[in-house]
Amino acid sequence: MQAALCTRYGAPDTVRIVDLPTPTPQANEVLIRIHASTVASGDWRLRSGTMPRGFGLISRLVFGLRRLRQPILGTEFSGTITATGPGVTRFQPGDAVVGFAGTTMRCHAEYRVMKEDAALALKPANLSDAQAAALCFGGTTALHYLRDKAHVRPGHSVLILGGAGAVGSAAVQIAKHLGAVVSTTSSAANLELLRSLGADHTLDYRTQDFTHDGPRYDVIMDTVGASTFGQTCKALRPGGLYLAIAADLPGMLAGLRQGPQGQRQLTGPAPERPADVAWLVDLAAQGHYLPVIDRSYPLAQIAEAHARVETGHKRGNVVVTMPHTD
Ligand SMILES: NC(=O)c1ccc[n+]([C@@H]2O[C@H](COP(=O)([O-])OP(=O)(O)OC[C@H]3O[C@@H](n4cnc5c(N)ncnc54)[C@H](OP(=O)(O)O)[C@@H]3O)[C@@H](O)[C@H]2O)c1
């Protein structure tokens, strides 16, 4: 099978296409022929070794000091089950699936094995392979923060900074589904997209400052590291929550103390749970969550996909398609 290999930290062209043996499913595992995956912001961070300030060393200790311990990146996919190992009961060959491998990665390849009880679900029929491949990375993060950390409920006023990214575009749709009144920021070019995803109010971050004389929010979710807890307290209601999903270490430390009116900061990595993927798949099947696709690249052009992600201005998700889908 073909796979994209990234053995050292570096520029997009450090990723190269190689031939590797196709894996064989063991007990309770399924073999998936991957149709599409994404190059997510996490893949760009790992490939380039670019981490939020203060997290460089710990990331190298976890993912590899001088070279990536797991050289095949890619956290999510859509595909078809082609074989099952002994004991598998949940899936059968021919099932179209979506999956989230998260930090175990290895989705930038034509085939991957997964445990049948991993974050794997039947693909919603209304999504294309590209849309299904982009369901999990942004979606699980947004879901964890909005539903599980902030407990967003109908009538809550939620501001999402960076609504046009992978996490942001999922967050706008999930916050809306949870019943919030949703405001969000992006550059002017993406405001119409955000309205089409259900945002009630949109702000161009280049010309409008949400901390000045605007409404106050119950929840502010910063998906791009565009603000600090200190700045956002001015725009948070008493007791409001600041969700800092892209915080650096100084930002995390600054949020350890409450704000002047009891505002709090929540941060940290989102968990990778099969139940969350099932929740997102249901939402997508009901037509309430549609992953946004920026561009699709064939696997052979994955370096270009990495370069696009590295601009920091992709719209939603960058997809890579496998050779057999060309
Ligand atoms: N805590 C966790 O568990 C977790 C999980 C996933 C991701 N993350 C982190 O979250 C961050 C976002 O991930 P992502 O995949 O959503 O990123 P992404 O898709 O690459 O973000 C790109 C988007 O950011 C927008 N943007 C850039 N600067 C902005 C600004 N100043 N204000 C508002 N929007 C701005 C761009 O919109 P315009 O083009 O309109 O400027 C673009 O659409 C990354 O740092 C990632 O590492 C954390």
Side-chain angles (χ1 to χ4, degrees), residues 62-82:
V62 173
F63 293 104
L65 217 45
R66 305 191 50 185
R67 50 177 48 224
L68 281 160
R69 224 166 262 141
Q70 171 44 258
I72 303 176
L73 302 176
T75 58
E76 57 187 338
F77 64 84
S78 62
T80 302
I81 307 271
T82 55

Side-chain angles (χ1 to χ4, degrees), residues 112-172:
R112 195 195 195 287
V113 290
M114 272 183 110
K115 291 276 185 206
E116 67 163 336
D117 60 358
L120 198 58
L122 291 176
K123 172 179 135 355
N126 56 330
L127 297 193
S128 67
D129 284 334
Q131 290 164 336
L135 194 101
C136 297
F137 178 85
T140 53
T141 307
L143 180 61
H144 168 69
Y145 271 92
L146 293 169
R147 185 195 62 186
D148 303 339
K149 285 204 160 207
H151 306 291
V152 168
R153 342 181 257 283
H156 266 169
S157 163
V158 175
L159 171 64
I160 292 154
L161 304 177
V167 179
S169 57
V172 168

Side-chain angles (χ1 to χ4, degrees), residues 35-243:
H35 300 320
S37 180
T38 58
V39 176
S41 54
D43 299 307
W44 153 68
R45 286 196 180 285
L46 280 177
R47 188 258 307 147
S48 63
T50 311
M51 292 296 151
R53 205 156 39 120
F55 291 114
L57 179 61
I58 188 159
S59 159
R60 294 275 176 137
L61 290 174
V62 173
F63 293 104
L65 217 45
R66 305 191 50 185
R67 50 177 48 224
L68 281 160
R69 224 166 262 141
Q70 171 44 258
I72 303 176
L73 302 176
T75 58
E76 57 187 338
F77 64 84
S78 62
T80 302
I81 307 271
T82 55
T84 55
V88 169
T89 54
R90 253 187 96 202
F91 298 101
Q92 53 188 13
D95 283 347
V97 289
V98 301
F100 188 38
T103 49
T104 66
M105 301 183 285
R106 299 203 312 277
C107 301
H108 292 166
E110 287 188 275
Y111 289 89
R112 195 195 195 287
V113 290
M114 272 183 110
K115 291 276 185 206
E116 67 163 336
D117 60 358
L120 198 58
L122 291 176
K123 172 179 135 355
N126 56 330
L127 297 193
S128 67
D129 284 334
Q131 290 164 336
L135 194 101
C136 297
F137 178 85
T140 53
T141 307
L143 180 61
H144 168 69
Y145 271 92
L146 293 169
R147 185 195 62 186
D148 303 339
K149 285 204 160 207
H151 306 291
V152 168
R153 342 181 257 283
H156 266 169
S157 163
V158 175
L159 171 64
I160 292 154
L161 304 177
V167 179
S169 57
V172 168
Q173 297 177 74
I174 290 169
K176 196 71 202 156
H177 175 73
L178 295 173
V181 178
V182 179
S183 305
T184 184
T185 66
S186 74
S187 61
N190 288 325
L191 296 176
E192 187 48 48
L193 166 74
L194 297 179
R195 283 191 281 271
S196 77
L197 296 180
D200 300 289
H201 307 286
T202 53
L203 293 90
D204 176 351
Y205 66 81
R206 294 196 167 119
T207 57
Q208 292 170 281
D209 182 351
F210 71 92
T211 63
H212 276 204
D213 306 326
R216 297 186 108 200
Y217 302 94
D218 297 300
V219 176
I220 297 179
M221 177 179 192
D222 185 347
T223 73
V224 284
S227 63
T228 65
F229 181 48
Q231 289 164 350
T232 50
C233 279
K234 290 181 225 157
L236 275 173
R237 292 192 176 132
L241 287 178
Y242 175 56
L243 310 177

